[in-house]
Amino acid sequence: MKPFEKAEWIYHLTGPTVSADAKYGNPLPYFRKEFKVKKGLKKATLSASAAGLFKAYINGKEFGDYMSPGWTDYRRRIPLMRFDATNMLEADNAIVLVVGDGWFTGNLIWSTMRNSYGAWSEVVAELKLEYKDGTVEYVSTGADWRAADGPIRRADNYMGEFVDRHCDRGDIWHAGYDDTDWSRPKIGDGMRTALLTEESAIVTRVMHVVKPVNVYTVNDKTVYDFGQNLVGVVRFTAKSDGYAKIIVRHGEMTYDDGNVYNENYRNAEATDTLVLKGGETVSFRPLFTFHGFRYSEIHIPSGRADIAAVADTRSKARDFAASVFSIPADRLYGSADEFFARGKIADAVIIASADRYHFAEASAALKTGYDVLIEKPVACTEADCRALAALAAISLAALIAVSR
């Protein structure tokens, strides 16, 4: 079964191409398309993927996934995600795709360099509409879509996400929005379609909402202690009558004076920022980053805002935090700690429980990890590659243990 009937890979450059040694990327591109649905709809299925990350919305409703399609060696295989969209549709509709840097163009590896797999991200999607009379229609990405930047000014796994509400473009999520001043996207690398596979597609969802066990103030900063190390993001609601800049830093420990310590993250800033334009109440939840942390420090250097915060912890499986290899945790699982002291998910040690799964399942699960670890990223230094090779050996050892 071919992944798409008509869809093309598309991209939109929101600024000059960013060099590999740049700390931050460009504003994230938003793509949108309006369409109609006839009466008698039987089923609607959205198929989508990205060289990078994507988040899809239909009529303002988001799908329940995050950081899709995950980390892979994009030169070998790219996970293809499928979602049921039947109950999200109306007569007049709008679909919006937001595309992030992720592991494709974002900072990666200990040398903290960008563009390991490419200089910009691309996305592909197709909505299949099946009607009761047997007819089928498709809403497919292509040059007839519209593209622009938006409030997410940058997002990176290591550096965090920066959102400026002054750059919000209004209700782009529903039909009837005037996008005539938006650009047309460019057509991307169609050869990537041959690399799409559902085999390694794993949905990352919010599994737990954790409330802080302690909240205290250090100077002009509010520190939230969530009681344990988490992998996810801090979600908060902010209300401000005027301009306000809210900065959220993450860390596993604190200094003796209570300030958050995250020097062990090295070059990773692990910081999310929200800029409010005032006169609004905003529910903020970073979409294209994640952090490993116990403590969250919220600082408002400019303006004033009222804040209530909780933490969303994310997982790729039912009960466990997933590993750095994007392996489902009900097949292979490890601790959700720091990814080499960078505030990322997973320890180097992967634990295999032979009574939980069999060789075939483990083989499929390890393909993503094998691709990421064996294939050398463009920005990988010799020292980095030696470390990655050691991790690959651990993965293969786990596979051998499972097969016995």
Side-chain angles (χ1 to χ4, degrees):
M1 174 178 162
K2 60 181 180 179
F4 303 112
E5 287 293 321
K6 306 175 182 178
E8 297 179 284
W9 290 83
I10 58 176
Y11 69 95
H12 176 63
L13 300 181
T14 61
T17 303
V18 176
S19 64
D21 59 354
K23 180 183 292 188
Y24 304 125
N26 284 320
L28 274 56
Y30 290 63
F31 303 89
R32 75 182 306 273
K33 173 74 173 177
E34 295 192 14
F35 62 97
K36 294 182 179 294
V37 173
K38 301 181 299 186
K39 292 183 179 180
L41 180 67
K42 179 182 177 181
K43 184 180 180 181
T45 304
L46 176 66
S47 302
S49 191
L53 300 173
F54 76 91
K55 185 72 175 170
Y57 301 81
I58 293 181
N59 297 328
K61 302 173 185 175
E62 63 175 292
F63 293 90
D65 63 307
Y66 292 90
M67 305 296 287
S68 292
W71 189 14
T72 182
D73 185 335
Y74 301 91
R75 298 164 296 188
R76 292 174 60 93
R77 63 172 54 80
I78 304 176
L80 174 63
M81 319 297 291
R82 295 195 193 274
F83 307 97
D84 184 359
T86 308
N87 296 325
M88 305 174 76
L89 298 175
E90 304 167 4
D92 298 302
N93 304 271
I95 180 171
V96 175
L97 303 173
V98 189
V99 181
D101 295 352
W103 295 269
F104 189 81
T105 60
N107 283 292
L108 188 62
I109 312 299
W110 298 267
S111 53
T112 316
M113 294 189 69
R114 301 178 54 82
N115 304 344
S116 292
Y117 299 99
W120 60 77
S121 299
E122 300 183 3
V123 67
V124 64
E126 188 166 80
L127 180 64
K128 182 179 181 181
L129 304 173
E130 302 176 68
Y131 293 93
K132 295 177 182 178
D133 62 4
T135 59
V136 178
E137 295 179 339
Y138 297 94
V139 180
S140 310
T141 49
D144 59 337
W145 282 50
R146 293 287 186 174
D149 62 3
I152 305 179
R153 307 312 291 172
R154 56 178 170 81
D156 184 86
N157 288 349
Y158 290 172
M159 301 304 169
E161 186 164 308
F162 189 107
V163 174
D164 188 345
R165 293 285 299 162
H166 293 88
C167 301
D168 183 73
R169 291 182 173 269
D171 187 11
I172 68 173
W173 317 101
H174 296 91
Y177 174 83
D178 184 5
D179 59 11
T180 54
D181 62 338
W182 288 35
S183 302
R184 296 292 186 184
K186 296 186 181 335
I187 301 302
D189 185 358
M191 298 297 291
R192 290 197 175 99
T193 300
L195 303 176
L196 292 170
T197 173
E198 292 185 69
E199 185 179 73
S200 57
I202 305 165
V203 177
T204 301
R205 296 187 175 93
V206 172
M207 301 301 294
H208 305 284
V209 176
V210 182
K211 296 182 179 180
V213 298
N214 187 28
V215 180
Y216 60 90
T217 301
V218 179
N219 298 325
D220 58 348
K221 303 170 184 176
T222 302
V223 178
Y224 295 80
D225 177 4
F226 292 95
Q228 65 182 75
N229 275 1
L230 309 170
V231 176
V233 295
V234 170
R235 170 166 56 89
F236 63 86
T237 299
K239 180 180 179 181
S240 177
D241 294 330
Y243 170 89
K245 185 176 184 180
I246 304 169
I247 299 175
V248 186
R249 293 177 62 249
H250 303 80
E252 286 190 301
M253 298 173 287
T254 62
Y255 291 97
D256 291 340
D257 63 2
N259 280 296
V260 171
Y261 169 88
N262 64 3
E263 292 182 13
N264 57 316
Y265 294 174
R266 292 185 285 178
N267 295 332
E269 293 181 354
T271 299
D272 301 322
T273 304
L274 172 64
V275 177
L276 296 174
K277 57 185 178 182
E280 59 181 351
T281 299
V282 175
S283 180
F284 177 66
R285 177 183 59 192
L287 295 177
F288 296 100
T289 189
F290 63 102
H291 310 289
F293 65 100
R294 170 176 171 173
Y295 299 93
S296 176
E297 176 189 275
I298 296 184
H299 176 47
I300 308 177
S302 301
R304 296 183 61 183
D306 297 325
I307 294 176
V310 296
D312 286 345
T313 62
R314 302 174 183 177
S315 175
K316 287 187 171 66
R318 290 181 292 275
D319 300 310
F320 307 103
S323 76
V324 70
F325 307 108
S326 296
I327 301 172
D330 57 350
R331 296 178 184 171
L332 278 174
Y333 56 91
S335 64
D337 204 337
E338 300 307 295
F339 172 29
F340 294 100
R342 282 195 177 276
K344 295 303 165 190
I345 188 169
D347 285 338
V349 178
I350 302 298
I351 305 170
S353 175
D355 60 345
R356 290 183 57 84
Y357 40 73
H358 51 78
F359 177 79
E361 287 180 324
S363 277
L366 275 168
K367 284 183 179 179
T368 301
Y370 181 85
D371 286 349
V372 171
L373 296 175
I374 295 299
E375 295 293 328
K376 177 180 176 181
V378 175
C380 183
T381 65
E382 182 178 352
D384 291 341
C385 290
R386 285 199 299 268
L388 289 173
L391 281 174
I394 294 172
S395 297
L396 294 176
L399 176 59
I400 293 171
V402 171
S403 64
R404 292 176 177 172

